Short mmCIF file of all heavy atoms in Angstrom, two decimals:
data_model
loop_
_atom_site.label_atom_id
_atom_site.label_comp_id
_atom_site.label_asym_id
_atom_site.label_seq_id
_atom_site.Cartn_x
_atom_site.Cartn_y
_atom_site.Cartn_z
N MET S 1 7.41 23.73 18.67
CA MET S 1 6.60 23.03 17.67
C MET S 1 7.45 22.72 16.44
O MET S 1 8.02 23.61 15.84
CB MET S 1 5.41 23.88 17.28
CG MET S 1 4.44 24.04 18.45
SD MET S 1 2.76 24.18 17.90
CE MET S 1 2.76 25.78 17.15
N THR S 2 7.51 21.47 16.13
CA THR S 2 8.28 21.08 14.95
C THR S 2 7.37 20.42 13.93
O THR S 2 7.21 19.22 13.89
CB THR S 2 9.40 20.11 15.34
OG1 THR S 2 8.82 19.02 16.02
CG2 THR S 2 10.43 20.78 16.20
N LYS S 3 6.75 21.25 13.16
CA LYS S 3 5.82 20.73 12.17
C LYS S 3 6.46 20.79 10.79
O LYS S 3 6.72 21.86 10.26
CB LYS S 3 4.54 21.57 12.19
CG LYS S 3 3.37 20.86 11.56
CD LYS S 3 2.09 21.65 11.84
CE LYS S 3 0.88 20.87 11.37
NZ LYS S 3 -0.37 21.60 11.64
N ARG S 4 6.72 19.63 10.26
CA ARG S 4 7.37 19.60 8.95
C ARG S 4 6.34 19.66 7.82
O ARG S 4 5.22 19.20 7.97
CB ARG S 4 8.13 18.29 8.79
CG ARG S 4 9.38 18.24 9.64
CD ARG S 4 10.18 17.05 9.23
NE ARG S 4 11.28 16.76 10.14
CZ ARG S 4 12.13 15.76 9.94
NH1 ARG S 4 11.97 14.98 8.91
NH2 ARG S 4 13.11 15.54 10.78
N LYS S 5 6.81 20.16 6.73
CA LYS S 5 5.99 20.11 5.53
C LYS S 5 6.33 18.85 4.76
O LYS S 5 7.46 18.63 4.36
CB LYS S 5 6.29 21.32 4.65
CG LYS S 5 5.51 22.55 5.08
CD LYS S 5 4.03 22.38 4.75
CE LYS S 5 3.25 23.64 5.12
NZ LYS S 5 1.82 23.50 4.80
N ILE S 6 5.35 18.00 4.60
CA ILE S 6 5.57 16.76 3.89
C ILE S 6 5.01 16.87 2.48
O ILE S 6 3.87 17.30 2.30
CB ILE S 6 4.91 15.58 4.61
CG1 ILE S 6 5.50 15.46 6.02
CG2 ILE S 6 5.11 14.29 3.82
CD1 ILE S 6 4.85 14.37 6.84
N ALA S 7 5.82 16.47 1.53
CA ALA S 7 5.35 16.51 0.15
C ALA S 7 4.67 15.20 -0.19
O ALA S 7 5.18 14.12 0.10
CB ALA S 7 6.52 16.76 -0.79
N CYS S 8 3.53 15.30 -0.80
CA CYS S 8 2.80 14.12 -1.23
C CYS S 8 3.68 13.32 -2.21
O CYS S 8 4.18 13.87 -3.18
CB CYS S 8 1.51 14.55 -1.93
SG CYS S 8 0.64 13.19 -2.70
N PRO S 9 3.89 12.02 -1.92
CA PRO S 9 4.75 11.19 -2.77
C PRO S 9 4.16 10.95 -4.16
O PRO S 9 4.85 10.50 -5.06
CB PRO S 9 4.86 9.87 -1.99
CG PRO S 9 3.67 9.84 -1.11
CD PRO S 9 3.32 11.27 -0.80
N ILE S 10 2.91 11.27 -4.32
CA ILE S 10 2.25 11.04 -5.60
C ILE S 10 2.37 12.25 -6.50
O ILE S 10 2.83 12.16 -7.64
CB ILE S 10 0.77 10.69 -5.40
CG1 ILE S 10 0.64 9.48 -4.50
CG2 ILE S 10 0.10 10.45 -6.76
CD1 ILE S 10 1.27 8.22 -5.06
N CYS S 11 1.97 13.40 -5.99
CA CYS S 11 1.94 14.58 -6.84
C CYS S 11 2.85 15.69 -6.33
O CYS S 11 2.95 16.74 -6.95
CB CYS S 11 0.52 15.09 -6.96
SG CYS S 11 -0.13 15.73 -5.41
N LYS S 12 3.53 15.43 -5.23
CA LYS S 12 4.51 16.37 -4.67
C LYS S 12 3.90 17.63 -4.10
O LYS S 12 4.61 18.59 -3.83
CB LYS S 12 5.55 16.74 -5.74
CG LYS S 12 6.15 15.55 -6.44
CD LYS S 12 6.78 14.58 -5.43
CE LYS S 12 7.38 13.40 -6.18
NZ LYS S 12 7.84 12.36 -5.25
N LYS S 13 2.60 17.64 -3.95
CA LYS S 13 1.97 18.79 -3.31
C LYS S 13 2.10 18.66 -1.81
O LYS S 13 2.33 17.55 -1.31
CB LYS S 13 0.48 18.85 -3.69
CG LYS S 13 0.25 19.25 -5.14
CD LYS S 13 -1.24 19.28 -5.40
CE LYS S 13 -1.51 19.61 -6.86
NZ LYS S 13 -2.96 19.61 -7.16
N PRO S 14 1.96 19.73 -1.08
CA PRO S 14 2.00 19.66 0.38
C PRO S 14 0.92 18.73 0.90
O PRO S 14 -0.23 18.82 0.49
CB PRO S 14 1.73 21.10 0.82
CG PRO S 14 2.12 21.94 -0.35
CD PRO S 14 1.81 21.11 -1.57
N ALA S 15 1.33 17.82 1.78
CA ALA S 15 0.38 16.84 2.29
C ALA S 15 -0.60 17.45 3.26
O ALA S 15 -0.27 18.40 3.98
CB ALA S 15 1.15 15.70 2.95
N GLU S 16 -1.78 16.90 3.29
CA GLU S 16 -2.80 17.32 4.25
C GLU S 16 -2.75 16.40 5.46
O GLU S 16 -2.52 15.19 5.31
CB GLU S 16 -4.18 17.25 3.61
CG GLU S 16 -4.39 18.29 2.53
CD GLU S 16 -4.51 19.68 3.14
OE1 GLU S 16 -4.89 19.77 4.32
OE2 GLU S 16 -4.20 20.64 2.42
N GLU S 17 -2.99 16.96 6.62
CA GLU S 17 -2.91 16.16 7.84
C GLU S 17 -3.84 14.96 7.80
O GLU S 17 -3.53 13.88 8.28
CB GLU S 17 -3.26 17.03 9.05
CG GLU S 17 -2.16 18.02 9.39
CD GLU S 17 -2.47 18.74 10.70
OE1 GLU S 17 -3.17 18.15 11.55
OE2 GLU S 17 -2.04 19.88 10.86
N ASN S 18 -5.00 15.16 7.23
CA ASN S 18 -5.99 14.09 7.18
C ASN S 18 -5.55 12.93 6.30
O ASN S 18 -6.05 11.82 6.44
CB ASN S 18 -7.32 14.63 6.66
CG ASN S 18 -8.00 15.53 7.68
OD1 ASN S 18 -7.59 15.55 8.83
ND2 ASN S 18 -8.99 16.26 7.26
N TRP S 19 -4.60 13.20 5.40
CA TRP S 19 -4.24 12.17 4.43
C TRP S 19 -2.76 11.88 4.42
O TRP S 19 -2.23 11.33 3.46
CB TRP S 19 -4.69 12.59 3.03
CG TRP S 19 -6.16 12.74 2.93
CD1 TRP S 19 -6.85 13.90 2.82
CD2 TRP S 19 -7.14 11.70 2.97
NE1 TRP S 19 -8.18 13.63 2.77
CE2 TRP S 19 -8.39 12.31 2.86
CE3 TRP S 19 -7.05 10.30 3.07
CZ2 TRP S 19 -9.57 11.55 2.85
CZ3 TRP S 19 -8.22 9.57 3.07
CH2 TRP S 19 -9.46 10.20 2.96
N LEU S 20 -2.06 12.29 5.48
CA LEU S 20 -0.62 12.04 5.54
C LEU S 20 -0.27 10.60 5.17
O LEU S 20 -0.95 9.69 5.59
CB LEU S 20 -0.11 12.33 6.95
CG LEU S 20 -0.03 13.81 7.31
CD1 LEU S 20 0.38 13.97 8.77
CD2 LEU S 20 0.95 14.53 6.42
N PRO S 21 0.80 10.38 4.40
CA PRO S 21 1.67 11.44 3.88
C PRO S 21 1.19 12.00 2.54
O PRO S 21 1.96 12.60 1.83
CB PRO S 21 3.00 10.71 3.72
CG PRO S 21 2.58 9.32 3.31
CD PRO S 21 1.27 9.06 4.03
N PHE S 22 -0.06 11.80 2.27
CA PHE S 22 -0.58 12.25 0.98
C PHE S 22 -1.31 13.57 1.11
O PHE S 22 -1.56 14.05 2.21
CB PHE S 22 -1.50 11.19 0.38
CG PHE S 22 -0.86 9.84 0.34
CD1 PHE S 22 -1.19 8.89 1.28
CD2 PHE S 22 0.08 9.54 -0.62
CE1 PHE S 22 -0.59 7.64 1.26
CE2 PHE S 22 0.69 8.30 -0.64
CZ PHE S 22 0.35 7.34 0.30
N CYS S 23 -1.71 14.12 -0.03
CA CYS S 23 -2.37 15.42 0.01
C CYS S 23 -3.87 15.27 -0.07
O CYS S 23 -4.61 16.19 0.19
CB CYS S 23 -1.87 16.28 -1.16
SG CYS S 23 -2.46 15.71 -2.76
N SER S 24 -4.30 14.07 -0.44
CA SER S 24 -5.74 13.88 -0.59
C SER S 24 -6.06 12.39 -0.66
O SER S 24 -5.16 11.56 -0.82
CB SER S 24 -6.21 14.55 -1.88
OG SER S 24 -5.59 13.94 -2.99
N LYS S 25 -7.34 12.07 -0.59
CA LYS S 25 -7.75 10.68 -0.69
C LYS S 25 -7.39 10.13 -2.06
O LYS S 25 -7.05 8.97 -2.23
CB LYS S 25 -9.25 10.59 -0.46
CG LYS S 25 -9.76 9.15 -0.44
CD LYS S 25 -11.25 9.11 -0.17
CE LYS S 25 -11.72 7.69 0.06
NZ LYS S 25 -11.50 6.83 -1.11
N ARG S 26 -7.47 11.00 -3.03
CA ARG S 26 -7.16 10.60 -4.40
C ARG S 26 -5.75 10.04 -4.50
O ARG S 26 -5.53 8.98 -5.08
CB ARG S 26 -7.31 11.82 -5.32
CG ARG S 26 -7.13 11.50 -6.78
CD ARG S 26 -7.05 12.79 -7.59
NE ARG S 26 -6.96 12.50 -9.02
CZ ARG S 26 -7.93 12.76 -9.88
NH1 ARG S 26 -9.04 13.33 -9.47
NH2 ARG S 26 -7.79 12.49 -11.14
N CYS S 27 -4.81 10.76 -3.91
CA CYS S 27 -3.42 10.32 -3.98
C CYS S 27 -3.20 9.10 -3.09
O CYS S 27 -2.43 8.21 -3.42
CB CYS S 27 -2.49 11.46 -3.58
SG CYS S 27 -2.33 12.69 -4.88
N ALA S 28 -3.88 9.06 -1.95
CA ALA S 28 -3.76 7.90 -1.07
C ALA S 28 -4.24 6.66 -1.80
O ALA S 28 -3.62 5.60 -1.74
CB ALA S 28 -4.58 8.13 0.20
N ASP S 29 -5.34 6.78 -2.49
CA ASP S 29 -5.88 5.66 -3.26
C ASP S 29 -4.96 5.31 -4.41
O ASP S 29 -4.75 4.14 -4.74
CB ASP S 29 -7.26 6.00 -3.81
CG ASP S 29 -8.32 6.00 -2.72
OD1 ASP S 29 -8.03 5.48 -1.63
OD2 ASP S 29 -9.41 6.51 -2.97
N ALA S 30 -4.40 6.31 -5.02
CA ALA S 30 -3.49 6.08 -6.14
C ALA S 30 -2.27 5.29 -5.69
O ALA S 30 -1.83 4.36 -6.35
CB ALA S 30 -3.05 7.41 -6.73
N ASP S 31 -1.77 5.65 -4.51
CA ASP S 31 -0.61 4.96 -3.99
C ASP S 31 -0.96 3.51 -3.67
O ASP S 31 -0.22 2.58 -4.00
CB ASP S 31 -0.12 5.66 -2.72
CG ASP S 31 1.17 5.03 -2.21
OD1 ASP S 31 2.19 5.22 -2.88
OD2 ASP S 31 1.14 4.35 -1.19
N LEU S 32 -2.11 3.32 -3.08
CA LEU S 32 -2.56 1.97 -2.75
C LEU S 32 -2.70 1.15 -4.03
O LEU S 32 -2.34 -0.02 -4.09
CB LEU S 32 -3.91 2.04 -2.03
CG LEU S 32 -4.48 0.68 -1.60
CD1 LEU S 32 -3.55 0.01 -0.61
CD2 LEU S 32 -5.85 0.86 -0.99
N GLY S 33 -3.23 1.78 -5.06
CA GLY S 33 -3.40 1.10 -6.34
C GLY S 33 -2.07 0.66 -6.91
O GLY S 33 -1.95 -0.42 -7.48
N HIS S 34 -1.06 1.50 -6.72
CA HIS S 34 0.27 1.14 -7.21
C HIS S 34 0.77 -0.12 -6.53
O HIS S 34 1.33 -1.01 -7.15
CB HIS S 34 1.25 2.28 -6.96
CG HIS S 34 1.16 3.36 -7.98
ND1 HIS S 34 1.40 3.13 -9.32
CD2 HIS S 34 0.86 4.67 -7.87
CE1 HIS S 34 1.25 4.27 -9.97
NE2 HIS S 34 0.91 5.22 -9.13
N TRP S 35 0.58 -0.15 -5.22
CA TRP S 35 1.04 -1.31 -4.46
C TRP S 35 0.30 -2.57 -4.89
O TRP S 35 0.87 -3.63 -5.08
CB TRP S 35 0.83 -1.07 -2.96
CG TRP S 35 1.88 -0.18 -2.37
CD1 TRP S 35 1.72 1.10 -1.94
CD2 TRP S 35 3.26 -0.51 -2.14
NE1 TRP S 35 2.91 1.58 -1.47
CE2 TRP S 35 3.87 0.64 -1.58
CE3 TRP S 35 4.03 -1.66 -2.37
CZ2 TRP S 35 5.23 0.65 -1.24
CZ3 TRP S 35 5.38 -1.63 -2.02
CH2 TRP S 35 5.96 -0.49 -1.46
N LEU S 36 -0.99 -2.43 -5.06
CA LEU S 36 -1.80 -3.59 -5.41
C LEU S 36 -1.47 -4.11 -6.79
O LEU S 36 -1.49 -5.30 -7.06
CB LEU S 36 -3.29 -3.21 -5.34
CG LEU S 36 -3.81 -2.95 -3.92
CD1 LEU S 36 -5.27 -2.52 -3.97
CD2 LEU S 36 -3.65 -4.19 -3.05
N SER S 37 -1.15 -3.19 -7.69
CA SER S 37 -0.84 -3.60 -9.05
C SER S 37 0.63 -3.96 -9.19
O SER S 37 1.09 -4.35 -10.25
CB SER S 37 -1.21 -2.49 -10.03
OG SER S 37 -0.53 -1.31 -9.70
N ASP S 38 1.37 -3.82 -8.08
CA ASP S 38 2.76 -4.27 -8.05
C ASP S 38 3.63 -3.59 -9.10
O ASP S 38 4.53 -4.18 -9.65
CB ASP S 38 2.82 -5.79 -8.26
CG ASP S 38 4.17 -6.34 -7.81
OD1 ASP S 38 4.77 -5.75 -6.90
OD2 ASP S 38 4.62 -7.34 -8.38
N ASP S 39 3.35 -2.35 -9.37
CA ASP S 39 4.22 -1.64 -10.32
C ASP S 39 4.76 -0.37 -9.68
O ASP S 39 5.13 0.57 -10.34
CB ASP S 39 3.46 -1.32 -11.60
CG ASP S 39 2.33 -0.32 -11.37
OD1 ASP S 39 2.04 -0.01 -10.20
OD2 ASP S 39 1.76 0.14 -12.35
N TYR S 40 4.79 -0.39 -8.37
CA TYR S 40 5.20 0.80 -7.63
C TYR S 40 6.69 1.08 -7.83
O TYR S 40 7.14 2.20 -7.76
CB TYR S 40 4.91 0.59 -6.15
CG TYR S 40 5.05 1.85 -5.34
CD1 TYR S 40 4.03 2.79 -5.27
CD2 TYR S 40 6.22 2.12 -4.63
CE1 TYR S 40 4.15 3.94 -4.54
CE2 TYR S 40 6.36 3.27 -3.90
CZ TYR S 40 5.32 4.18 -3.85
OH TYR S 40 5.44 5.33 -3.11
N ALA S 41 7.45 0.03 -8.11
CA ALA S 41 8.89 0.18 -8.20
C ALA S 41 9.33 0.73 -9.56
O ALA S 41 10.47 1.06 -9.75
CB ALA S 41 9.56 -1.17 -7.95
N ILE S 42 8.41 0.78 -10.47
CA ILE S 42 8.76 1.29 -11.79
C ILE S 42 8.91 2.81 -11.77
O ILE S 42 7.96 3.51 -11.46
CB ILE S 42 7.68 0.91 -12.83
CG1 ILE S 42 7.55 -0.61 -12.91
CG2 ILE S 42 8.02 1.50 -14.18
CD1 ILE S 42 6.46 -1.07 -13.85
N PRO S 43 10.10 3.28 -12.07
CA PRO S 43 10.35 4.73 -12.08
C PRO S 43 9.70 5.40 -13.29
O PRO S 43 9.71 4.86 -14.39
CB PRO S 43 11.88 4.82 -12.18
CG PRO S 43 12.30 3.55 -12.82
CD PRO S 43 11.27 2.51 -12.45
N GLY S 44 9.15 6.56 -13.06
CA GLY S 44 8.53 7.28 -14.16
C GLY S 44 7.29 6.57 -14.64
O GLY S 44 7.29 5.91 -15.66
N GLU S 45 6.24 6.68 -13.84
CA GLU S 45 5.03 5.94 -14.16
C GLU S 45 4.40 6.41 -15.47
O GLU S 45 4.09 7.57 -15.64
CB GLU S 45 4.02 6.11 -13.03
CG GLU S 45 3.85 7.56 -12.63
CD GLU S 45 3.01 7.66 -11.36
OE1 GLU S 45 1.83 7.42 -11.44
OE2 GLU S 45 3.60 7.97 -10.32
N PRO S 46 4.25 5.50 -16.40
CA PRO S 46 3.61 5.82 -17.68
C PRO S 46 2.09 5.84 -17.55
O PRO S 46 1.48 4.81 -17.45
CB PRO S 46 4.05 4.69 -18.60
CG PRO S 46 4.30 3.53 -17.69
CD PRO S 46 4.67 4.11 -16.34
N VAL S 47 1.56 7.04 -17.52
CA VAL S 47 0.12 7.16 -17.35
C VAL S 47 -0.55 7.09 -18.72
O VAL S 47 -0.71 8.07 -19.40
CB VAL S 47 -0.24 8.47 -16.65
CG1 VAL S 47 -1.75 8.55 -16.44
CG2 VAL S 47 0.49 8.60 -15.34
N SER S 48 -0.87 5.88 -19.12
CA SER S 48 -1.50 5.72 -20.42
C SER S 48 -2.53 4.61 -20.39
O SER S 48 -2.28 3.50 -20.85
CB SER S 48 -0.44 5.41 -21.48
OG SER S 48 0.29 4.27 -21.07
N PRO S 49 -3.67 4.92 -19.80
CA PRO S 49 -4.75 3.94 -19.74
C PRO S 49 -5.32 3.69 -21.14
O PRO S 49 -5.69 4.62 -21.83
CB PRO S 49 -5.79 4.61 -18.84
CG PRO S 49 -5.52 6.07 -18.95
CD PRO S 49 -4.04 6.20 -19.21
N ALA S 50 -5.35 2.44 -21.53
CA ALA S 50 -5.85 2.11 -22.86
C ALA S 50 -7.13 1.29 -22.75
O ALA S 50 -7.10 0.07 -22.78
CB ALA S 50 -4.80 1.33 -23.62
N PRO S 51 -8.23 1.97 -22.59
CA PRO S 51 -9.52 1.28 -22.49
C PRO S 51 -9.90 0.65 -23.82
O PRO S 51 -9.77 1.28 -24.88
CB PRO S 51 -10.49 2.40 -22.11
CG PRO S 51 -9.86 3.65 -22.63
CD PRO S 51 -8.36 3.41 -22.55
N GLU S 52 -10.35 -0.57 -23.74
CA GLU S 52 -10.72 -1.25 -24.98
C GLU S 52 -12.01 -0.67 -25.54
O GLU S 52 -12.96 -0.44 -24.82
CB GLU S 52 -10.89 -2.75 -24.71
CG GLU S 52 -9.58 -3.42 -24.36
CD GLU S 52 -9.81 -4.92 -24.21
OE1 GLU S 52 -10.56 -5.48 -25.02
OE2 GLU S 52 -9.24 -5.52 -23.30
N ASP S 53 -12.03 -0.50 -26.79
CA ASP S 53 -13.21 0.05 -27.43
C ASP S 53 -14.12 -1.09 -27.89
O ASP S 53 -13.75 -1.87 -28.76
CB ASP S 53 -12.78 0.89 -28.64
CG ASP S 53 -13.99 1.64 -29.21
OD1 ASP S 53 -15.11 1.46 -28.71
OD2 ASP S 53 -13.80 2.38 -30.17
N PRO S 54 -15.27 -1.20 -27.26
CA PRO S 54 -16.19 -2.30 -27.57
C PRO S 54 -16.73 -2.20 -29.00
O PRO S 54 -17.20 -3.18 -29.56
CB PRO S 54 -17.33 -2.12 -26.55
CG PRO S 54 -17.25 -0.69 -26.15
CD PRO S 54 -15.81 -0.29 -26.27
N SER S 55 -16.63 -1.03 -29.56
CA SER S 55 -17.17 -0.84 -30.91
C SER S 55 -16.05 -0.84 -31.95
O SER S 55 -16.17 -0.24 -33.00
CB SER S 55 -17.95 0.47 -30.97
OG SER S 55 -17.09 1.55 -30.73
N ALA S 56 -14.96 -1.54 -31.61
CA ALA S 56 -13.83 -1.57 -32.53
C ALA S 56 -14.18 -2.37 -33.79
O ALA S 56 -14.67 -3.48 -33.71
CB ALA S 56 -12.62 -2.18 -31.85
N GLU S 57 -13.89 -1.76 -34.89
CA GLU S 57 -14.20 -2.45 -36.15
C GLU S 57 -13.11 -3.46 -36.50
O GLU S 57 -11.98 -3.30 -36.16
CB GLU S 57 -14.33 -1.44 -37.27
CG GLU S 57 -15.45 -0.44 -37.02
CD GLU S 57 -15.49 0.58 -38.15
OE1 GLU S 57 -15.07 0.24 -39.26
OE2 GLU S 57 -15.91 1.71 -37.89
N ASP S 58 -13.47 -4.47 -37.22
CA ASP S 58 -12.50 -5.47 -37.61
C ASP S 58 -12.61 -5.78 -39.09
O ASP S 58 -13.65 -6.14 -39.56
CB ASP S 58 -12.71 -6.76 -36.81
CG ASP S 58 -11.55 -7.70 -37.03
OD1 ASP S 58 -10.47 -7.23 -37.49
OD2 ASP S 58 -11.69 -8.89 -36.77
ZN1 LIG V 101 -1.02 14.29 -3.88
#
Protein backbone atom coordinates (compact mmCIF):
# COMPACT_ATOMS: atom_id res chain seq x y z
CA MET A 1 0.00 0.00 0.00
CA THR A 2 1.44 3.29 -1.06
CA LYS A 3 -0.72 5.95 0.40
CA ARG A 4 0.84 9.36 0.28
CA LYS A 5 0.01 12.25 2.47
CA ILE A 6 -1.03 15.14 0.31
CA ALA A 7 -0.91 18.64 1.64
CA CYS A 8 -3.79 20.88 0.78
CA PRO A 9 -2.46 23.50 -1.69
CA ILE A 10 -4.60 26.13 -0.02
CA CYS A 11 -3.91 25.79 3.67
CA LYS A 12 -1.24 23.08 3.68
CA LYS A 13 -3.24 20.83 5.94
CA PRO A 14 -3.40 17.10 5.20
CA ALA A 15 -5.84 16.54 2.40
CA GLU A 16 -9.00 14.54 2.88
CA GLU A 17 -9.79 11.75 0.45
CA ASN A 18 -13.19 13.21 -0.28
CA TRP A 19 -11.67 16.51 -1.32
CA LEU A 20 -8.33 15.57 -2.85
CA PRO A 21 -6.09 17.34 -3.31
CA PHE A 22 -7.74 19.63 -0.84
CA CYS A 23 -8.60 19.19 2.80
CA SER A 24 -12.15 20.37 2.59
CA LYS A 25 -14.86 21.78 0.36
CA ARG A 26 -13.92 25.19 1.62
CA CYS A 27 -10.42 24.94 0.21
CA ALA A 28 -11.65 23.29 -2.99
CA ASP A 29 -14.01 26.21 -3.51
CA ALA A 30 -11.29 28.66 -2.62
CA ASP A 31 -9.02 27.18 -5.24
CA LEU A 32 -11.76 27.29 -7.83
CA GLY A 33 -12.40 30.91 -6.93
CA HIS A 34 -8.75 31.70 -7.52
CA TRP A 35 -8.90 30.21 -10.98
CA LEU A 36 -12.10 32.01 -11.84
CA SER A 37 -10.78 35.34 -10.64
CA ASP A 38 -7.58 34.72 -12.59
CA ASP A 39 -5.29 35.69 -9.76
CA TYR A 40 -4.04 32.24 -8.97
CA ALA A 41 -0.57 33.03 -10.26
CA ILE A 42 -0.04 35.83 -7.82
CA PRO A 43 2.36 34.67 -5.10
CA GLY A 44 1.45 35.50 -1.55
CA GLU A 45 -2.25 36.04 -1.79
CA PRO A 46 -3.27 39.29 -0.11
CA VAL A 47 -6.34 38.43 1.86
CA SER A 48 -7.92 41.81 2.27
CA PRO A 49 -11.56 41.92 1.30
CA ALA A 50 -12.73 45.51 1.23
CA PRO A 51 -16.51 45.50 1.33
CA GLU A 52 -18.02 48.82 0.44
CA ASP A 53 -19.84 50.50 3.22
CA PRO A 54 -23.27 51.59 2.01
CA SER A 55 -23.50 54.02 4.88
CA ALA A 56 -20.28 55.81 4.01
CA GLU A 57 -20.46 59.47 4.79
CA ASP A 58 -19.40 62.05 2.27
ZN1 LIG B 1 -7.16 23.21 3.01
